[in-house]
Amino acid sequence: MSNVSATPPSNRRVDLSVKIRVHPWLKIFRRIAWLPAIVVACFAPQAAAAERPNIVIIMADDMGYSDIGCYGGEIDTPHLNRLAERGLRFTQFYNTSRCCPTRASLLTGLYSHSAGMGGMVNKRATGKGTDSPYQGFLNDHCLTIAEALKPAGYNVLMSGKWHVGEQRPNWPTDRGFDRYFGLISGACNYWKVDEGRQMALEDQPYTPPADGSFYMTDAISDYAVKMVDEYGRRDEPFFLYVAYTAPHWPLHAWPEDIEKYRGKYRGGWEALRKQRHARMIEGGIVDADWPLSPLDAKPWDNLSEQEQAEFDLKMAVYAAMIDRMDHGVGRIVEQIQAVGELENTLILFLADNGGCHENPVRSEVPGTPPGPRDSYLAYGKNWANASNTPFRRYKHWVHEGGISSPLIAHWPAVVKSGKLTQQVGHVVDLMATCLDVAGADYPETVDGKSIHPLDGKSLLPILEGKQRTGHEMLFWEHLGSAAVRQGDWKLVSAEGGPWELYDLSKDRTELNDLAKTHPEKRDELLAAYRAWAKKTGVRPPKKSRKNRKHK
């Protein structure tokens, strides 16, 4: 990316003490194998500091728990599978059930309400914010990973979807990132920028070329690769956040990628769920004692031949979008290896929420099948039910189908190959993990304003193969759906509906409601949730007819 002008540094002054200071020559010294032992010994303390890892966080958008190969899916994801085979997979990792809140929690290490993103983004907000839990952009009482790692000597880079602040001064380069390319807004056409959406290159608006060469997923991968190529060769470590829009609707993919999957889904969603569930059990991802949740879809055999063909095409395009994203992940990893940094780079891969039940129909040319730029369709609830195998519900809800995410951790210098962990983690933990491995402190104030204490806890002990002292409780709230988890107990409500209680060790598919048989545990968790909600500024839920649907 040497042809792109450097971005001015963030104007936020961070009062942040740094644990580690690295002499610029040390990274060179540690790569010279024949350096005399006496010199190495003299520089031993600083050399250890120079081993701080690069950090790469890669996130998919609206991807179900079981979609990728290493979590039971049939979609061809060799590069993610390879990271899993040589790294660590979490079986109980959580997001916040929706794109904006998850991105806010990832970036800040806070529950999204504390960062100002309890709901969705405010497209019109231009000010510094009022510190409202639902203001719709990051507030001034939170710190981004970029703002924390930059003073610690990291180059901080991002390629992809932002979606936590639509207007200046709320863009990535306003919140600490040195370099940025991507989509400032939410869902967008993959072949062009929709009206009302924004893309940016550094701190300026960006318009993709109109010659048919632009495809959002490839562009995000291209810039990520360029950033690694440039900054991976420097003396300082780098942090790179790659936020794909795939496989979020609209269903857009290259024809050759779609063709690879045409016809593979003619067996229907019932068969797909059963096949994935069997592989997940065999691979140790889920427990065989947890029944597969009830089908929440039309019976496939009741569909006409034409309907089956149309649904097969939708799922084929969806699979093609994940396939293309995996290809981009492979290119990024290959470039990290090319600059000699793969051994000491922590790579984390996750999803921002579960598979999406939404069904927008906004095609510019009605009747256009999914895939090309004139179409604007989604794969719908029926296939999302399969994406979230074996769990209930979808994106937006905080039952397991909405909040369960793959998490792959690859770090050859630290993480042992091919392991699974059942230890529980949450997206708020990623900021704490980055600070921990980078040796950076977290400030109490910035520009004289107090910074909320971190809600997250570092995952580093888990990455090192140790037992972590986890969270006493975890909390969720989004648009009235709410949950609290304590150990294996989970209390959950859908959009103001009845509170349900589950023992996740025996019933993670949430089919056996124990609220009436264990009223004391229900009341204990409900009291804890209400105390957290009051402290955090969570709105009381509104009753909704929707909670009767999508069981």
Side-chain angles (χ1 to χ4, degrees):
M1 297 188 64
S2 57
N3 60 331
V4 181
S5 60
T7 302
S10 170
N11 57 12
R12 299 186 91 215
R13 293 186 296 104
V14 181
D15 179 16
L16 181 63
S17 61
V18 181
K19 293 180 180 177
I20 299 175
R21 298 183 183 276
V22 184
H23 192 284
W25 285 101
L26 291 176
K27 196 169 185 180
I28 298 175
F29 286 165
R30 69 184 172 100
R31 291 183 178 178
I32 302 176
W34 45 261
L35 191 67
I38 187 169
V39 176
V40 175
C42 290
F43 281 89
Q46 295 94 330
E51 295 297 329
R52 290 180 302 161
N54 307 300
I55 305 168
V56 179
I57 297 179
I58 304 172
M59 187 160 68
D61 194 351
D62 278 19
M63 190 188 79
Y65 185 70
S66 69
D67 279 328
I68 59 177
C70 52
Y71 276 80
E74 73 297 327
I75 300 173
D76 191 19
T77 55
H79 303 291
L80 288 170
N81 295 351
R82 191 171 299 114
L83 290 177
E85 290 165 3
R86 300 173 182 177
L88 179 69
R89 282 172 293 166
F90 286 68
T91 64
Q92 298 192 75
F93 189 81
Y94 290 114
N95 50 49
T96 72
S97 87
R98 200 73 177 272
C99 45
C100 298
T102 290
R103 290 161 208 280
S105 289
L106 183 155
L107 284 164
T108 67
L110 303 173
Y111 286 115
S112 58
H113 307 76
S114 295
M117 289 294 305
M120 297 299 287
V121 72
N122 184 343
K123 297 179 181 179
R124 295 173 294 278
T126 58
K128 285 289 187 179
T130 61
D131 201 24
S132 164
Y134 298 92
Q135 68 183 29
F137 55 98
L138 298 181
N139 61 39
D140 285 344
H141 295 278
C142 66
L143 197 71
T144 68
I145 294 178
E147 289 169 322
L149 292 186
K150 185 189 294 188
Y154 275 72
N155 294 303
V156 284
L157 320 164
M158 180 178 173
S159 181
K161 177 177 170 180
W162 178 241
H163 213 202
V164 287
E166 295 271 331
Q167 305 299 326
R168 307 298 301 272
N170 303 305
W171 284 14
T173 52
D174 299 319
R175 295 307 304 248
F177 283 94
D178 296 318
R179 309 296 292 274
Y180 174 72
F181 167 81
L183 180 65
I184 295 293
S185 310
C188 185
N189 196 306
Y190 283 70
W191 308 109
K192 63 178 182 178
V193 180
D194 291 325
E195 183 177 352
R197 298 295 194 238
Q198 300 181 82
M199 291 190 69
L201 178 58
E202 314 300 4
D203 60 351
Q204 298 298 318
Y206 172 82
T207 301
D211 59 3
S213 63
F214 179 85
Y215 180 69
M216 186 74 72
T217 302
D218 290 344
I220 291 171
S221 299
D222 289 344
Y223 275 87
V225 169
K226 290 178 182 179
M227 290 172 179
V228 171
D229 183 50
E230 179 177 346
Y231 287 90
R233 302 178 190 277
R234 297 190 178 188
D235 297 326
E236 307 85 6
F238 66 84
F239 169 80
L240 172 62
Y241 173 34
V242 184
Y244 284 105
T245 60
H248 194 297
W249 49 262
L251 295 172
H252 287 158
W254 291 108
E256 60 269 27
D257 292 342
I258 298 172
E259 191 60 32
K260 179 178 177 179
Y261 292 95
R262 287 296 297 268
K264 287 194 174 183
Y265 296 100
R266 293 301 295 264
W269 32 71
E270 295 104 321
L272 185 65
R273 293 176 81 231
K274 291 177 182 177
Q275 293 162 5
R276 288 188 177 188
H277 192 217
R279 286 193 293 267
M280 296 172 87
I281 292 172
E282 182 180 3
I285 302 297
V286 300
D287 195 316
D289 291 335
W290 305 333
L292 181 62
S293 62
L295 179 71
D296 186 22
K298 297 178 181 179
W300 182 261
D301 290 341
N302 289 357
L303 302 178
S304 68
E305 182 72 18
Q306 180 178 347
E307 288 174 321
Q308 289 182 357
E310 290 173 353
F311 276 117
D312 169 74
L313 176 58
K314 285 184 175 182
M315 189 62 191
V317 179
Y318 177 85
M321 295 167 76
I322 293 177
D323 188 308
R324 177 61 61 159
M325 175 184 66
D326 178 80
H327 179 72
V329 172
R331 291 176 54 211
I332 295 167
V333 174
E334 181 179 332
Q335 189 61 45
I336 296 172
Q337 188 167 25
V339 297
E341 290 293 324
L342 186 60
E343 179 72 14
N344 198 35
T345 296
L346 169 60
I347 302 174
L348 298 168
F349 174 86
L350 71 154
D352 66 345
N353 48 248
C356 179
H357 69 291
E358 298 161 351
N359 193 30
V361 181
R362 307 176 191 168
S363 298
E364 294 181 18
V365 180
T368 304
R373 62 183 287 162
D374 291 336
S375 68
Y376 209 99
L377 303 168
Y379 75 159
K381 177 175 70 70
N382 298 324
W383 286 124
N385 190 207
S387 283
N388 295 334
T389 301
F391 302 129
R392 288 176 57 198
R393 298 191 184 262
Y394 314 91
K395 165 187 175 179
H396 172 104
W397 287 277
V398 295
H399 285 71
E400 294 292 287
I403 60 176
S404 296
S405 170
L407 179 66
I408 302 170
H410 181 274
W411 187 7
V414 174
V415 176
K416 294 183 179 179
S417 297
K419 299 291 185 180
L420 291 171
T421 178
Q422 281 74 45
Q423 294 189 60
V424 178
H426 189 284
V427 68
V428 294
D429 295 334
L430 298 187
M431 167 69 135
T433 305
C434 290
L435 295 175
D436 197 3
V437 302
D441 284 338
Y442 185 76
E444 294 182 357
T445 62
V446 174
D447 287 342
K449 294 184 178 181
S450 61
I451 299 297
H452 295 306
L454 284 176
D455 291 314
K457 303 181 69 172
S458 176
L459 299 172
L460 182 57
I462 303 177
L463 304 184
E464 293 174 332
K466 302 173 184 176
Q467 188 68 33
R468 181 182 75 152
T469 302
H471 296 269
E472 181 180 356
M473 291 188 179
L474 288 170
F475 300 95
W476 291 264
E477 189 278 333
H478 182 63
L479 300 182
S481 291
V484 53
R485 175 168 176 168
Q486 179 192 51
D488 289 323
W489 289 103
K490 180 181 175 186
L491 187 70
V492 59
S493 168
E495 298 177 304
W499 287 96
E500 305 161 9
L501 179 67
Y502 299 102
D503 178 354
L504 298 185
S505 67
K506 301 176 182 177
D507 177 31
R508 197 174 164 205
T509 44
E510 299 172 311
L511 302 180
N512 183 24
D513 182 4
L514 303 175
K516 292 182 178 179
T517 57
H518 290 76
E520 70 293 338
K521 179 56 67 173
R522 174 193 177 278
D523 292 346
E524 175 192 349
L525 295 182
L526 183 55
Y529 173 81
R530 287 173 172 167
W532 171 80
K534 181 178 180 180
K535 175 183 176 183
T536 313
V538 171
R539 295 170 180 164
K542 295 181 180 180
K543 297 290 183 179
S544 172
R545 293 181 181 180
K546 290 182 181 179
N547 68 61
R548 302 174 188 172
K549 301 178 181 180
H550 309 311
K551 299 293 186 182

